[in-house]
Amino acid sequence: MDEINIRLPKKIIYDDFTSEILPKEYVKVEGNLRLYTSEIERLLRDLKRAGFKETLLEIRKGEMYSLSKKIGIWEIHIRIYPDGFLDSHLELSREYFQHLTFSSISFAYELYQMFPYLELHNHNKRILTK
């Protein structure tokens, strides 16, 4: 079975040099930590090279692009918005009945690690270090 390791940042430093310790439950929720890029087309190209495919997600949220990638029993979903922000989450594949009751988890931090040109934000503040 494919394994996915989820990393969750705890102590972060913002671009104004303030710091904060984030509760684990807060970090796990999609949309609390958000990614940003000024290079949407580059990100789209890089995600496709990494095996993501454009898809229509069940619930639209105003995104310009929706992508997903299946890894074993897991699916990663990414929404890229016209303003350059993106949200992502990991969930149990829709092929499994447990999908209906399994909570999704934010995948923002992993994408931040994969693509160094992405910025990670919390409360509209850019995170410098993690």
Side-chain angles (χ1 to χ4, degrees):
M1 177 167 72
D2 292 314
E3 183 176 312
I4 294 180
N5 292 316
I6 301 292
R7 292 171 290 239
L8 301 170
K10 185 173 182 178
K11 183 174 183 183
I12 57 172
I13 299 173
Y14 295 106
D15 60 356
D16 65 2
F17 302 107
T18 59
S19 64
E20 183 175 7
I21 294 177
L22 301 175
K24 181 178 169 182
E25 291 305 314
Y26 176 82
V27 174
K28 289 170 50 176
V29 176
E30 179 186 13
N32 285 347
L33 296 182
R34 300 195 72 210
L35 294 165
Y36 173 79
T37 184
S38 60
E39 303 179 63
I40 292 175
E41 295 305 318
R42 177 184 178 191
L43 176 62
L44 187 61
R45 182 186 67 240
D46 289 349
L47 288 169
K48 287 180 179 181
R49 284 184 182 154
F52 285 86
K53 295 180 178 14
E54 287 191 61
T55 185
L56 290 175
L57 298 178
E58 193 171 315
I59 300 172
R60 302 276 303 167
K61 296 183 177 180
E63 64 271 16
M64 187 164 64
Y65 299 104
S66 298
L67 297 105
S68 67
K69 180 178 179 178
K70 188 169 182 218
I71 302 175
I73 64 170
W74 306 104
E75 287 183 30
I76 302 166
H77 296 282
I78 301 171
R79 298 173 195 271
I80 303 173
Y81 298 93
D83 63 1
F85 279 94
L86 54 141
D87 292 322
S88 63
H89 68 269
L90 174 77
E91 65 184 7
L92 191 62
S93 173
R94 289 172 267 189
E95 295 175 1
Y96 297 90
F97 179 73
Q98 293 88 341
H99 170 82
L100 300 172
T101 58
F102 187 85
S103 297
S104 65
I105 185 169
S106 173
F107 204 72
Y109 196 67
E110 284 67 27
L111 290 176
Y112 177 62
Q113 297 291 311
M114 290 171 60
F115 304 107
Y117 56 89
L118 293 177
E119 296 176 4
L120 188 61
H121 289 249
N122 183 37
H123 302 299
N124 297 318
K125 292 169 69 173
R126 188 167 61 97
I127 297 171
L128 288 181
T129 60
K130 58 276 176 205

